Amino acid sequence: MNRANQEALFQATNQGLLSIRQSEINYYQSLNVAFGTQAALIGGFTYGVFSQNQINYSNEYENVDVLADVYWICSAITIALSVHVILCTMLMQVLGPGLSLNGPVGSMARATEGMRVEQKQIIVAFIAMMIMFSVSTVLSCWVVMSFEAALGCSAAFAISSCCW
């Protein structure tokens, strides 16, 4: 009788642990959806602005070509980081739960640990993407707008970023 009770307790403990692991996988799934969606929106927006901006050569400052080059480089880095985040989150959404469901015994623990490790680099890439997006947004003001308008937009952006 004691042996049967021990087995039942062991099974109940395993079910509780698997339930916690499933909650972790669901958590990482929802994070991946959020990061992937936001990266796609930012990447698409950056590409649209990147391909449509016309350099304003009537500005009073003479280094508008240098600003334009830096702006395009920052925009390209933003798009590259966006694609990186999209690909990584998509792979984690597909492969993480697949490994936990179809792998050998202990695969759910390995899947959640792998998702935890990968999530860190996705967050770093997402933050770098946001920084590059912010820089390219400010630079686009200087490339496209007049000096006064670019100065005003940069000031507004700086004030807003302090609140973030």
Side-chain angles (χ1 to χ4, degrees):
M1 188 67 170
N2 281 340
R3 179 79 173 146
N5 287 340
Q6 284 178 335
E7 288 292 323
L9 180 62
F10 182 73
Q11 290 299 325
T13 304
N14 278 342
Q15 284 180 329
L17 183 59
L18 287 176
S19 175
I20 291 170
R21 295 289 188 194
Q22 184 61 45
S23 296
E24 283 182 294
I25 288 176
N26 291 340
Y27 168 74
Y28 288 123
Q29 287 287 92
S30 64
L31 274 180
N32 287 324
V33 168
F35 281 124
T37 303
Q38 294 302 315
L41 288 171
I42 290 170
F45 179 74
T46 301
Y47 179 76
V49 172
F50 176 76
S51 61
Q52 299 295 322
N53 271 352
Q54 299 291 324
I55 298 174
N56 184 1
Y57 286 106
S58 64
N59 289 326
E60 297 91 36
Y61 44 94
E62 65 246 12
N63 291 336
V64 72
D65 284 331
V66 173
L67 283 175
D69 290 342
V70 174
Y71 158 66
W72 284 324
I73 290 169
C74 289
S75 295
I77 293 170
T78 301
I79 294 168
L81 287 169
S82 173
V83 169
H84 173 74
V85 170
I86 292 167
L87 286 174
C88 288
T89 56
M90 183 205 56
L91 287 172
M92 279 193 36
Q93 288 175 35
V94 172
L95 298 177
L99 172 64
S100 69
L101 292 173
N102 300 321
V105 174
S107 60
M108 188 169 267
R110 284 195 305 275
T112 54
E113 182 59 31
M115 291 176 86
R116 180 180 304 114
V117 169
E118 287 298 314
Q119 196 67 43
K120 290 176 185 175
Q121 65 92 14
I122 289 172
I123 291 171
V124 168
F126 187 84
I127 291 170
M129 178 192 69
M130 291 300 295
I131 290 169
M132 294 310 293
F133 178 69
S134 300
V135 170
S136 68
T137 300
V138 171
L139 287 173
S140 72
C141 294
W142 287 95
V143 169
V144 175
M145 298 176 181
S146 67
F147 179 78
E148 293 81 13
L151 191 63
C153 288
S154 296
F157 198 87
I159 292 168
S160 297
S161 64
C162 288
C163 296
W164 303 334

